[in-house]
Amino acid sequence: MGSPDPIADPLHPHDRLPRSLSLWDATMLIVASVVGSGIFLTPARVATLLPSAGPYLLVWLAGALISLLGAFVNAELGAMFPRAGGSYVYLREGLHPAAGFLAGWLAFFAIYAGTIAALAVVAVELVAPAFELGRTGVLVGAALLVVATSILNGVGTRLGAAFNNATSLVKVAALAAFVLLGPVFGEGSFAPWRGDAAGGLEGGLVLRFGQALSPVLFSYLGWNASVYVASEIRDPQRNVPRSLFLGLGLCTALYLALNAIYLYALPPAILAAAPDTGAAAAAALFGELGGRLVAGFVLVSVVGTLNAQVLIGPRIVYAMALDQLFFARASRIHGRTLTPAVAIAVQATLSIGLVFFLESFPKALDFTVFGILLATAADTLALFRLRRRRPDWPRPYRAFGHPGLTGLYLAILLATATAIVRASPRECGVALALLVAGLLFYWPVRTGKTRRPVER
């Protein structure tokens, strides 16, 4: 099952993607992936479910800690298997090739393609009023945005990484300025959030908290972005774990500080009703001009995150195709740009289809987060099994707190998934249907695949 020694043979024998990404590139890829639309557009939903300062801030901290537990798991697995594909590789090596295939199938179809669809719709919705776009116009514009970012990443991985680095630096600088200048020049108060003045928490707090984790975890989506491009990172056995902790730490600090400013700027009812919390908070603190500036920044941030997802996602089907578990053409590398051009095109086509199917951000949000929970729970199971079955394999990084914290992480994932199923059964059903479809696709491919070299 898999390679006999993942340390002696860290690369797939047919992988021709160049190692062109530094630790800085990998860390900024995580920042670009995480800091997108979530921190601006999901706080309203969180405030609706948890309209009190304590639970509201606690759920954002909980999301960071849950992501950190996942980073411990992925750091060990990513250092052991520094290859393209992320969860697909871990489950193929740790559980079974079918489990790896289903993880890759779900990650590609539900997580990355779903996120790309959601972000593309959000980006166009932000400019729709200025261009008087109706719903059809928004969907068409979102599809065109997917095409444009796919072309950018097809031209070259370094070009896509440079775009991620630039947008990430803009995000960090702008958010830091917002957090620091808000209390100095803006007018706000924490008084409306004190005590139980917000109300609305009688009964069902645990369920509400679990449901609020869906938008929060969506906002942290991307904390493991570097593991999917591990085969393109220099010295991945050291830099993959480092990128996970550096990227997540920076994003967590920004998120907690920014949410404190939201509470300072907006009372509970207004925060819960604000579709774009960042713009609403800026308008409350700095006036109409501040709101417009932040609205423009949100657009840049969303497009930057969209670009990061477009860069990462194709590596999943590329890795599956290398093992002849997806269409062979998806493993082809463009002769001049050295990018997985066919895989990028497949992802773009699927994402455009999801744009028209999901239609709205909240639907795509639950669909995507449920897929994340399933995939990361499977990663955790793979770590347990690899520790038991392959204890002597070299591990450049060992998951902190294993097995206790790893088991806690698995329990949290399953509990959160249950809460999301109760709140959004249709979207979760779509993700489960994708798993069934993947299984139906896997067996004919597995039993009928040949042993010839992968087509180039």
Side-chain angles (χ1 to χ4, degrees):
M1 178 174 58
S3 301
D5 187 341
I7 303 303
D9 183 20
L11 276 178
H12 192 287
H14 296 298
D15 190 349
R16 295 193 299 150
L17 295 175
R19 288 199 185 278
S20 59
L21 301 178
S22 65
L23 173 60
W24 171 258
D25 294 328
T27 301
M28 289 299 102
L29 182 61
I30 290 175
V31 174
S33 299
V34 174
V35 184
S37 63
I39 192 59
F40 305 108
L41 305 179
T42 61
R45 190 177 181 196
V46 177
T48 300
L49 291 164
L50 301 172
S52 186
Y56 176 89
L57 290 175
L58 184 60
V59 79
W60 285 97
L61 178 60
L65 294 176
I66 292 171
S67 300
L68 178 60
L69 295 178
F72 292 148
V73 172
N74 274 248
E76 177 168 330
L77 294 171
M80 286 180 69
F81 305 102
R83 299 180 177 179
S87 296
Y88 160 68
V89 177
Y90 310 151
L91 269 69
R92 184 194 67 202
E93 298 287 348
L95 297 179
H96 189 274
F101 176 86
L102 291 178
W105 178 278
L106 185 64
F108 180 69
F109 285 92
I111 297 177
Y112 282 94
T115 301
I116 290 167
L119 292 174
V121 171
V122 167
V124 179
E125 284 178 339
L126 290 172
V127 300
F131 293 96
E132 298 182 350
L133 296 178
R135 194 61 198 164
T136 300
V138 167
L139 298 180
V140 172
L144 293 176
L145 183 57
V146 171
V147 172
T149 51
S150 298
I151 291 174
L152 173 68
N153 284 278
V155 170
T157 300
R158 285 300 315 160
L159 181 61
F163 187 83
N164 287 329
N165 293 345
T167 57
S168 297
L169 288 175
V170 170
K171 293 176 186 184
V172 172
L175 290 179
F178 186 31
V179 168
L180 294 174
L181 298 178
V184 176
F185 297 102
E187 295 184 3
S189 174
F190 290 111
W193 290 90
R194 288 175 183 161
D196 293 327
L201 289 177
E202 297 82 0
L205 177 57
V206 174
L207 179 59
R208 284 171 175 260
F209 196 92
Q211 291 172 347
L213 277 174
S214 175
V216 169
L217 291 176
F218 181 88
S219 301
Y220 282 104
L221 174 64
W223 58 262
N224 63 341
S226 59
V227 303
Y228 289 93
V229 297
S231 71
E232 297 165 83
I233 297 175
R234 302 178 198 128
D235 193 8
Q237 293 165 345
R238 297 181 63 193
N239 287 335
V240 168
R242 289 176 176 180
S243 67
L244 290 172
F245 300 130
L246 289 172
L248 179 58
L250 180 57
C251 294
T252 298
L254 288 173
Y255 275 18
L256 294 178
L258 193 56
N259 272 293
I261 292 297
Y262 289 164
L263 299 184
Y264 176 75
L266 302 171
I270 295 179
L271 177 53
D276 185 342
T277 309
L285 292 173
F286 307 115
E288 185 178 351
L289 177 60
R292 288 200 298 267
L293 289 175
V294 171
F297 167 72
V298 171
L299 176 61
V300 173
S301 181
V302 170
V303 173
T305 302
L306 171 63
N307 179 74
Q309 304 305 297
V310 170
L311 186 155
I312 298 165
R315 273 64 184 175
I316 300 171
V317 292
Y318 168 77
M320 294 165 67
L322 288 177
D323 293 328
Q324 301 180 42
L325 292 180
F326 201 79
F327 299 113
R329 290 179 181 272
S331 67
R332 286 185 172 178
I333 301 300
H334 193 280
R336 180 173 57 84
T337 65
L338 300 179
T339 59
V342 175
I344 292 173
V346 171
Q347 177 181 257
T349 302
L350 175 62
S351 298
I352 290 170
L354 288 175
V355 163
F356 289 93
F357 175 74
L358 296 172
E359 295 186 356
S360 69
F361 178 73
K363 292 180 181 179
L365 185 152
D366 283 332
F367 168 73
T368 301
V369 171
F370 185 69
I372 297 168
L373 294 173
L374 294 180
T376 50
D379 286 349
T380 309
L381 291 173
L383 177 61
F384 274 111
R385 195 156 189 256
L386 283 166
R387 281 288 190 99
R388 187 177 70 254
R389 295 189 62 205
R390 304 286 187 176
D392 297 330
W393 266 358
R395 288 172 167 81
Y397 174 87
R398 298 181 71 88
F400 176 78
H402 182 85
L405 289 182
T406 308
L408 174 63
Y409 177 56
L410 180 59
I412 292 172
L413 291 175
L414 296 177
T416 305
T418 300
I420 296 174
V421 168
R422 293 182 62 179
S424 305
R426 177 180 177 270
E427 287 70 37
C428 296
V430 172
L432 292 174
L434 275 175
L435 277 180
V436 174
L439 194 60
L440 295 176
F441 182 88
Y442 170 78
W443 290 116
V445 172
R446 179 67 179 176
T447 56
K449 77 173 187 176
T450 65
R451 296 299 177 183
R452 60 179 168 76
V454 177
E455 183 179 355
R456 291 294 171 191

